[in-house]
Each structure stands twice: as structure tokens, then as C-alpha cells.
Amino acid sequence: MYTPKLFQETDRDSLFQFVRDNPFGLLVTTGNDGIPVATHIPIELLPDADGQFQLVGHLAKANPQWKLLDQATPALAVFSGAHGYISSSWYDHVNVPTWNYLAVQITGRTRVLTDDETLAFLRQQVDKHEAYSKHPVSVDSMTEGYVRKEMRGIVAFTMTIDTLQGTAKLSQNRDDKNYQNIISELQQTNNPSAKELANEMAARRP
């Protein structure tokens, strides 16, 4: 991922937290024909049995991308956060418009999970996201036979974390006056992502 040094994020713990907070990622692999294949899916950051962090997710079995994943496939996972258009009219000088954003990219190699590993992963994933529900359900609230039957329609995988890169392009190259004006303009939009971007900028340069 091309990232100018000014916008590079390198703190591993912060990047991992970003992945936890933005788990809907893009899994990219290269097919046997050399053509890239990508699927938008939730991908979780979880420790393995040795305490090493890995990415874990699942694809629909009808999605042929899964057939690539049991070959120690080199893969790319992309996680995006808040982003927004920055108008040049928000500066006190002539300049070009740009786009601010937060993103993390991870490369690694994949392995298809066994049925028992898949079941354990689904328990963790459902529990994590059901924690925000008024009436949470769990995998354990369903019969194991039913869950295993439904599992026939998916293929779960794990992915090592070989490289980890983060970008936070947040107008760090602007002086305080223009920086604060960008925050103000973003906050006045009706775009939730733009407002989230403004909050991130405000937190980094109060």
C-alpha cells in the first residue's frame, strides 16, 4: 500500500484495534488464471493456540474463491474506516481538493479450517456481534446438528499476518487554522462518515 511517511501508522496495537473496530473487510487473492478475486466479508482478528494473532473469516461455499484458500494462498485483507472529501474551498489559500481516510492492509497466507475449528470460530464471531443486540442469540442456543448442517454452506479460513500497514491521511500537512477549519466543515455535512472523520481528526490534534 502506497503511504507517504507523514500518513503512516505503525503502532501494532492501534492497527489491530482498528481491525477489530472495522471488521468488514475485503479479501483479495489471485486466481490460477492470474486474475485477482475479491470478496467483501466480515473478518475477525483472533489469537491462535500459541497466542499469535491471525485473521479468521468465512466465504459462502458457492463462492469459488474458497478453492484457492487451502494452498497457503498469498492473500490481502483490506480494512477501511472513516473517509471523506476535502474541498479546496475549506482552505485559506489556493489548493486542490483531496480525500482523507483511514485504512489498514494485511498480507498473509491462508488455510481452510476444519469443521470443529469452524464451529469454534462461529461461536466467537456470533457472541462478539450479538453483544450489541437487545435480544442476543448464540450458536449454543441452536442445536449443534442444525449449526453443522448450515455450516455445509460455508468455508472458514485463517490467514497469517505477515505484513501490517496502516494509513491515516488526515490533513496532517495543514497548519492549525486550516486543520480546524476542515474539521468544522466535515462536522457540518450530513455524512456520518465525514463526521466520524472529523472526530478522529479532532482527537489527534485538539
Side-chain angles (χ1 to χ4, degrees):
M1 175 169 62
Y2 167 70
T3 307
K5 188 174 182 179
L6 182 63
F7 306 136
Q8 290 177 4
E9 296 280 279
T10 58
D11 182 74
R12 188 177 179 87
D13 291 341
S14 296
L15 296 178
F16 278 174
Q17 190 58 50
F18 182 90
V19 173
R20 294 186 190 97
D21 293 339
N22 300 275
F24 192 67
L26 180 68
L27 177 70
V28 184
T29 55
T30 302
N32 295 324
D33 55 4
I35 298 175
V37 181
T39 303
H40 297 268
I41 52 172
I43 305 174
E44 307 296 340
L45 177 72
L46 297 170
D48 63 15
D50 297 322
Q52 298 297 312
F53 281 102
Q54 60 185 340
L55 298 180
V56 191
H58 71 266
L59 298 168
K61 202 163 191 176
N63 182 345
Q65 187 179 10
W66 76 264
K67 296 177 182 178
L68 301 169
L69 302 184
D70 207 18
Q71 306 169 16
T73 304
L76 169 69
V78 182
F79 301 89
S80 299
H83 61 91
Y85 176 78
I86 308 301
S87 171
S88 56
S89 68
W90 299 348
Y91 303 133
D92 63 1
H93 57 279
V94 176
N95 211 308
V96 295
T98 189
W99 205 280
N100 280 2
Y101 65 95
L102 295 154
V104 168
Q105 291 190 5
I106 295 173
T107 63
R109 293 184 176 269
T110 60
R111 175 181 68 84
V112 170
L113 299 183
T114 65
D115 284 351
D116 287 345
E117 288 174 325
T118 299
L119 182 59
F121 162 61
L122 292 175
R123 284 194 178 101
Q124 289 179 284
Q125 186 177 42
V126 171
D127 287 348
K128 172 187 173 182
H129 296 288
E130 284 289 336
Y132 303 98
S133 174
K134 291 181 180 179
H135 306 286
V137 298
S138 69
V139 169
D140 290 334
S141 69
M142 311 169 196
T143 66
E144 185 169 328
Y146 171 78
V147 175
R148 287 187 179 274
K149 179 182 176 182
E150 293 298 307
M151 281 169 47
R152 296 173 191 166
I154 66 171
V155 177
F157 66 90
T158 183
M159 176 177 157
T160 60
I161 298 176
D162 295 344
T163 69
L164 176 66
Q165 293 179 287
T167 298
K169 183 178 177 297
L170 299 173
S171 298
Q172 295 97 319
N173 54 330
R174 303 300 170 193
D175 61 30
D176 287 344
K177 178 182 177 183
N178 284 282
Y179 189 89
Q180 295 301 327
N181 198 55
I182 291 169
I183 293 173
S184 177
E185 293 287 350
L186 287 169
Q187 289 172 334
Q188 294 177 53
T189 70
N190 292 320
N191 184 329
S193 184
K195 291 182 178 181
E196 184 180 349
L197 185 65
N199 293 337
E200 182 68 27
M201 291 178 62
R204 289 175 180 241
R205 195 191 293 184

